[in-house]
């Protein structure tokens, strides 16, 4: 990380949440934010889709390719040893980021989607039979629905769905009622990408464990905003994507308790996931390598390590405090606009705001905002069943990061007023 961001923190340390993080200094670390779109300064509010990357992450990837590009775990030569060390260092950084007990509990995958598919394929193949059940919630992303449907179809198992209330909170009593002796796995999102709802993962895990059911948590939208402690949550598996936590695309993480990972069969076969191969019998490698077949995305993994360093220097507590203040400011500002309806008003929320405008399609909202230089996501956000639950075809979604400002929220409000003027 540039010296700037670290200094920015200490400068405002004693002056409350907003001052603890000097946003203008932090923004200096993100070159992409400086540009104009349609002649207007970019306001990037699509962080839940993917976050922007600090210069240190971009440079870490570049340095790998310029200075020590090499395959890992294979060569005895110096470049390979350097690449292997940087790759394994990134694993340890993630271990500490998630407070996992051991580095071997961190498996590198392509992203949250692959992490969930890995569990569905490997854990599911071994543990799910006809008549068994997988329990999810009504606020899941397609990545935490479709892999289970594929598994259930193959095995003759059943997908059960815990409903959400009108605020967008999972109804805990209904969830508990759905847990039973046939449940083989609970898989829930930590934070909803549409509603921003923070699920009570600790309580969910306790309830599931009382029935001896393991829990997989989809942490794609939680890791950028909350301090995640997998040991405190006591979840069995946790999935996240690098590109949503200011790291590169094409890399992500599956955390799993060592016991569980060891008991799971491999996901894919190939190089690196074996300890010996003969035509008669193959012995698999130890975890985590058993799940890392083939040459991984080494550069992106090293970039992810740099992203973790960056976040650590900002401090997730500072990030959370600042984002909370920004979320409250934006929620109040948007709720005050006549014709705006918020979708997702949970009591525990991360900085994701979905809304609809009376009589105006979300895509029209997004198109006009784009002309104002404001990037939001519109559509079903890969959560079609949730759209159905709230009886909307689509929403516009503003998702905030620590480099966003109140001035940018004001620009969003002005943009929405313009949409109303054009379509009203
Ligand atoms: N949501 C969004 O705009 P990948 O694509 O594998 O990095 O992450 C998938 C995923 C899984 N779970 C949740 C809760 C998510 O939000 C996402 C990605 C993005 O909301 C892109 S669809």
């Amino acid at each position: 990380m540039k010296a700037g961001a670290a200094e920015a923190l200490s400068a405002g340390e004693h002056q409350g949440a907003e001052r603890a993080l000097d946003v203008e200094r932090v923004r200096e670390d993100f070159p992409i934010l400086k540009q104009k779109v349609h002649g207007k300064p970019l306001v990037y509010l699509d962080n839940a889709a993917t976050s922007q990357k600090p210069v240190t992450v971009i440079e870490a990837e570049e340095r790998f390719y310029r200075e020590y590009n090499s395959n890992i775990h294979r060569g005895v030569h110096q470049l390979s040893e350097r690449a292997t060390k940087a790759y394994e260092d990134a694993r340890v950084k993630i271990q500490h980021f998630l407070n996992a007990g051991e580095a071997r509990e961190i498996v590198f995958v392509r992203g949250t989607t692959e992490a969930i598919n890995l569990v569905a394929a490997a854990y599911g193949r071994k543990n799910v039979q006809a008549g068994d059940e997988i329990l999810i919630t009504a606020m899941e992303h397609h990545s935490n629905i479709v892999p289970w449907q594929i598994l259930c179809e193959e095995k003759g198992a059943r997908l059960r769905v815990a409903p959400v209330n009108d605020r967008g909170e999972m109804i805990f009593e209904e969830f508990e009622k759905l847990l039973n002796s046939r449940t083989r796995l609970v898989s829930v999102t930590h934070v909803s990408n549409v509603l921003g709802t923070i699920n009570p993962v600790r309580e969910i895990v306790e309830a599931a464990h009382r029935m001896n059911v393991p829990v997989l948590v989809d942490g794609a939208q939680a890791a950028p905003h909350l301090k995640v402690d997998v040991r405190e949550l006591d979840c069995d598996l946790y999935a996240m994507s690098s590109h949503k936590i200011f790291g590169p695309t094409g890399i992500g993480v599956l955390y799993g308790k060592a016991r569980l990972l060891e008991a799971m069969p491999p996901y894919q076969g190939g190089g690196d996931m074996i300890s010996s191969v003969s035509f008669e019998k193959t012995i698999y490698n130890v975890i985590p390598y058993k799940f890392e077949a083939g040459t991984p995305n080494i550069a992106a993994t090293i970039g992810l390590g740099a992203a973790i360093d960056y976040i650590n220097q900002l401090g997730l507590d500072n990030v959370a405090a600042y984002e909370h203040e920004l979320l409250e400011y934006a929620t109040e500002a948007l709720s005050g606009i006549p014709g705006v309806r918020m979708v997702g008003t949970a009591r525990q929320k991360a900085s994701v705001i979905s809304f609809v405008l009376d009589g105006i399609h979300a895509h029209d909202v997004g198109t006009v905002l784009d002309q104002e230089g404001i990037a939001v996501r519109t559509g079903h956000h890969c959560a079609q069943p949730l759209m159905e639950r709230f009886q909307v075809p689509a929403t516009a979604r503003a998702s905030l990061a620590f480099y966003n400002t109140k001035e940018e929220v004001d620009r969003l409000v002005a943009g929405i007023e313009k949409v109303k003027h054009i379509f009203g």
Side-chain angles (χ1 to χ4, degrees):
M1 167 190 204
K2 275 181 162 175
E7 282 166 20
L9 274 178
S10 50
E13 240 168 17
H14 307 295
Q15 298 172 48
E18 194 194 1
R19 303 300 302 167
L21 197 134
D22 185 341
V23 189
E24 290 313 320
R25 295 289 292 274
V26 168
R27 287 175 70 86
E28 290 296 310
D29 297 333
F30 293 82
I32 203 168
L33 297 177
K34 290 193 173 78
Q35 69 187 286
K36 290 193 169 170
V37 169
H38 301 302
K40 318 245 166 73
L42 168 66
V43 175
Y44 187 77
L45 300 177
D46 195 17
N47 295 289
T50 198
S51 59
Q52 298 304 348
K53 321 303 173 201
V55 108
T56 47
V57 168
I58 300 165
E59 285 174 357
E61 273 212 72
E62 195 194 348
R63 201 175 316 118
F64 168 72
Y65 284 124
R66 277 185 186 280
E67 295 176 15
Y68 60 105
N69 171 48
S70 187
N71 212 328
I72 54 165
H73 302 147
R74 287 161 171 84
V76 291
H77 58 83
Q78 208 215 15
L79 292 194
S80 177
E81 276 176 13
R82 213 178 137 193
T84 303
K85 180 169 182 331
Y87 182 86
E88 291 302 332
D89 282 353
R91 198 188 304 276
V92 173
K93 287 176 191 178
I94 287 284
Q95 177 204 341
H96 294 142
F97 184 70
L98 295 176
N99 195 29
E102 302 175 66
R104 68 192 180 118
E105 295 180 315
I106 304 299
V107 178
F108 286 123
V109 288
R110 272 192 303 134
T112 305
T113 303
E114 188 173 45
I116 298 172
N117 275 277
L118 188 162
V119 178
Y123 175 86
R125 198 185 326 142
K126 188 167 175 195
N127 297 290
V128 177
Q129 317 289 335
D132 287 347
E133 296 180 359
I134 305 290
L135 178 54
I136 62 171
T137 79
M139 68 176 91
E140 302 306 326
H141 185 276
H142 295 166
S143 298
N144 201 22
I145 302 173
V146 185
W148 307 119
Q149 287 174 325
I150 295 171
L151 175 69
C152 288
E153 205 170 304
E154 264 175 36
K155 297 283 193 164
R158 186 169 175 208
L159 187 62
R160 309 298 304 268
V161 183
V164 300
N165 64 21
D166 290 342
R167 304 171 77 101
E169 295 158 334
M170 189 191 78
I171 306 170
F172 201 83
E173 305 74 58
E174 297 297 324
F175 166 79
E176 277 188 308
K177 275 190 223 156
L178 286 165
L179 264 176
N180 64 62
S181 60
R182 292 179 300 275
T183 315
R184 289 292 159 267
L185 187 81
V186 166
S187 190
V188 293
T189 195
H190 197 166
V191 169
S192 160
N193 67 319
V194 178
L195 310 165
T197 308
I198 303 173
N199 273 319
V201 169
R202 183 78 193 89
E203 288 74 19
I204 289 171
V205 169
E206 271 173 19
H209 283 181
R210 278 198 293 275
M211 304 289 290
N212 286 322
V213 177
V215 179
L216 163 61
V217 181
D218 170 352
Q221 300 293 348
H225 304 293
L226 314 174
K227 175 86 200 85
V228 176
D229 183 331
V230 289
R231 278 189 284 178
E232 198 199 306
L233 293 173
D234 198 25
C235 58
D236 302 277
L237 300 144
Y238 197 95
M240 54 173 262
S241 297
S242 151
H243 71 99
K244 295 192 200 287
I245 60 160
F246 318 98
T249 51
I251 189 73
V253 169
L254 174 68
Y255 155 81
K257 286 181 178 166
R259 244 181 317 108
L260 193 65
L261 290 180
E262 276 169 345
M264 274 161 53
Y267 169 52
Q268 294 176 329
D272 230 22
M273 56 76 70
I274 53 88
S275 94
S276 76
V277 177
S278 74
F279 287 119
E280 288 69 42
K281 181 155 179 64
T282 288
I283 313 277
Y284 305 131
N285 207 341
V286 293
I287 61 165
Y289 310 110
K290 183 171 76 173
F291 297 107
E292 294 181 2
T295 301
N297 194 337
I298 305 163
T301 311
I302 293 167
L304 169 59
I308 298 292
D309 290 341
Y310 185 86
I311 296 169
N312 285 342
Q313 286 190 56
L314 284 186
L316 257 175
D317 288 343
N318 290 312
V319 166
Y322 176 74
E323 287 183 356
H324 183 72
E325 188 162 332
L326 205 55
L327 173 68
E328 287 198 331
Y329 182 79
T331 305
E332 201 181 321
L334 265 70
S335 325
I337 307 174
V340 166
R341 180 163 68 88
M342 313 291 272
V343 178
T345 51
R347 282 157 285 200
Q348 297 294 321
K349 263 192 83 164
S351 53
V352 174
I353 303 176
S354 271
F355 62 95
V356 288
L357 259 176
D358 269 355
I360 306 172
H361 196 281
H363 289 312
D364 292 330
V365 177
T367 306
V368 174
L369 290 178
D370 174 55
Q371 289 301 313
E372 297 300 304
I374 304 166
V376 296
R377 186 172 169 188
T378 61
H380 55 59
H381 313 293
C382 302
Q384 284 182 337
L386 191 60
M387 295 291 119
E388 215 166 284
R389 161 66 182 81
F390 282 92
Q391 297 186 319
V392 288
T395 73
R397 182 189 69 184
S399 48
L400 309 164
F402 55 73
Y403 42 63
N404 290 125
T405 64
K406 287 185 179 170
E407 291 70 35
E408 289 183 315
V409 172
D410 295 342
R411 291 256 319 269
L412 173 65
V413 171
I416 294 171
E417 292 293 0
K418 188 152 189 181
V419 176
K420 283 175 58 184
H421 183 71
I422 294 172
F423 291 95

